[in-house]
Amino acid sequence: MTLVLKQLNDFLAENGLQPIEAEGNQFDPNLHQAIAHEPSKEFPEGTVIRQTRRGYRLKDRLLRPSSVVVSSGPVK
């Protein structure tokens, strides 16, 4: 099963499918869908804390945005 999964992932990557990496990056409404905001001392405001659902692009076209939780900055 592992070999079949690797072959499928390689085939999709060769044909232009790219996962969107979101964690630790600035929130981009063109690539990310914010599902929640959380206060965080570690991450500045507007930074993606975690990704709950991975997004994908096919070459230059967005197939599905990443569902993410965004930092609202430190607690005031």
Side-chain angles (χ1 to χ4, degrees), residues 2-17:
T2 305
L3 181 59
V4 173
L5 178 62
K6 183 184 179 327
Q7 289 175 340
L8 176 63
N9 287 334
D10 291 345
F11 173 77
L12 293 172
E14 287 173 8
N15 287 293
L17 185 73

Side-chain angles (χ1 to χ4, degrees), residues 29-64:
N30 297 316
L31 299 175
H32 307 130
Q33 179 181 11
I35 59 169
H37 283 71
E38 286 184 7
S40 173
K41 293 180 182 178
E42 298 175 29
F43 297 99
E45 185 176 352
T47 304
V48 175
I49 297 173
R50 68 180 171 273
Q51 178 174 276
T52 59
R53 187 176 77 171
R54 181 167 289 198
Y56 293 95
R57 290 174 16 183
L58 183 62
K59 298 181 181 174
D60 292 333
R61 182 174 170 212
L62 180 66
L63 294 179
R64 179 174 77 182

